[in-house]
Amino acid sequence: DSGVTQTPKHLITATGQRVTLRCSPRSGDLSVYWYQQSLDQGLQFLIQYYNGEERAKGNILERFSAQQFPDLHSELNLSSLELGDSALYFCASSVDWGANSPLHFGNGTRLTVT
Amino acid sequence: DAKTTQPNSMESNEEEPVHLPCNHSTISGTDYIHWYRQLPSQGPEYVIHGLTSNVNNRMASLAIAEDRKSSTLILHRATLRDAAVYYCILRDEFPGQGAQKLVFGQGTRLTINP
């Protein structure tokens, strides 16, 4: 158990809808990362937060947004969903944002858009 | 981000050592070498990381070449549970804009034969 909790585990929704994925980092970790994993793209970095502030952005679509709250949990919002957004979404956390800090991943949220 | 090169797949037998290679010829002096693995239907799992010296932990050993242009992850006695995709990733301590993205490549798919 990595200590990172993601909810829900599974989500099925229709095109055009909006969903929110939630992540609780390990106790004491200040940094949160979001990744998308689809069959044909592998693990893609979306965005990173550190102590509530955005630190790095990857190839995150404009329809997607995220935030990290004062209690350090994070939410990833996906709107105007398309079939191609179907994927596993992973959250990870680390103590800080330094290169010497390992990331600890949750078990993901599987999103299916129909 | 500096790139890594890994074999697409490797096969080994249960209870034998496994050496997973990674080439990173453009590594910079401030790049940490990280290894993660992803078991089927799970999130990535941190294995080990290092900067210059060889590292050991309960999961594996990391051998880093003297010129740092390559490294090897060593699983001392493989079990069936070690079958996974193994990712070798470089993380720059000073990436310029504080962007610690942890970019995943395609990794090495390790198969363990009973």
Side-chain angles (χ1 to χ4, degrees):
Chain A
D1 181 10
S2 68
V4 177
T5 304
Q6 289 188 248
T7 55
K9 286 193 168 75
H10 301 277
L11 201 47
I12 301 174
T13 189
T15 53
Q17 295 299 304
R18 173 190 167 96
V19 297
T20 297
L21 313 184
R22 183 187 166 101
C23 170
S24 294
R26 286 191 329 161
S27 176
D29 284 359
L30 297 178
S31 196
V32 169
Y33 307 72
W34 285 97
Y35 283 82
Q36 178 192 56
Q37 186 173 37
S38 53
L39 280 173
D40 57 347
Q41 290 288 325
L43 274 158
Q44 300 290 314
F45 169 76
L46 295 178
I47 199 162
Q48 179 207 1
Y49 283 84
Y50 175 74
N51 205 20
E53 299 289 327
E54 183 184 304
R55 291 287 303 182
K57 222 166 184 176
N59 296 325
I60 187 167
L61 298 172
E62 283 191 14
R63 301 183 285 108
F64 295 2
S65 65
Q67 55 183 323
Q68 186 180 27
F69 293 87
D71 67 352
L72 301 176
H73 92 272
S74 178
E75 291 180 358
L76 179 67
N77 300 297
L78 315 176
S79 61
S80 302
L81 285 167
E82 302 174 359
L83 295 177
D85 298 327
S86 295
L88 269 166
Y89 291 84
F90 290 106
C91 169
S93 71
S94 63
V95 169
D96 55 36
W97 53 271
N100 198 18
S101 297
L103 269 64
H104 300 275
F105 285 79
N107 280 327
T109 292
R110 182 176 295 279
L111 173 66
T112 303
V113 182
T114 61
Chain B
D1 296 321
K3 299 242 190 242
T4 64
T5 305
Q6 299 176 253
N8 287 335
S9 62
M10 287 184 64
E11 207 169 315
S12 185
N13 297 320
E14 204 176 4
E15 298 187 5
E16 290 184 357
V18 180
H19 290 234
L20 294 159
C22 181
N23 287 319
H24 27 79
S25 58
T26 59
I27 191 169
S28 75
T30 53
D31 278 330
Y32 281 81
I33 302 160
H34 284 248
W35 283 83
Y36 289 77
R37 70 181 186 181
Q38 188 172 20
L39 280 65
S41 304
Q42 293 188 27
E45 177 185 27
Y46 166 75
V47 178
I48 200 166
H49 77 286
L51 185 61
T52 56
S53 305
N54 295 344
V55 184
N56 300 297
N57 66 20
R58 63 173 180 82
M59 288 181 72
S61 295
L62 175 60
I64 301 173
E66 201 167 325
D67 64 4
R68 300 187 71 235
K69 294 187 176 181
S70 66
S71 60
T72 303
L73 179 70
I74 303 165
L75 307 178
H76 294 286
R77 200 161 168 266
T79 69
L80 295 177
R81 198 197 169 275
D82 292 319
V85 178
Y86 286 78
Y87 298 98
C88 168
I89 300 158
L90 301 182
R91 294 190 73 194
D92 191 349
E93 182 68 30
F94 303 107
Q97 293 183 342
Q100 295 292 349
K101 297 179 184 180
L102 199 69
V103 177
F104 286 79
Q106 295 306 306
T108 297
R109 183 172 298 278
L110 176 65
T111 301
I112 304 294
N113 300 314

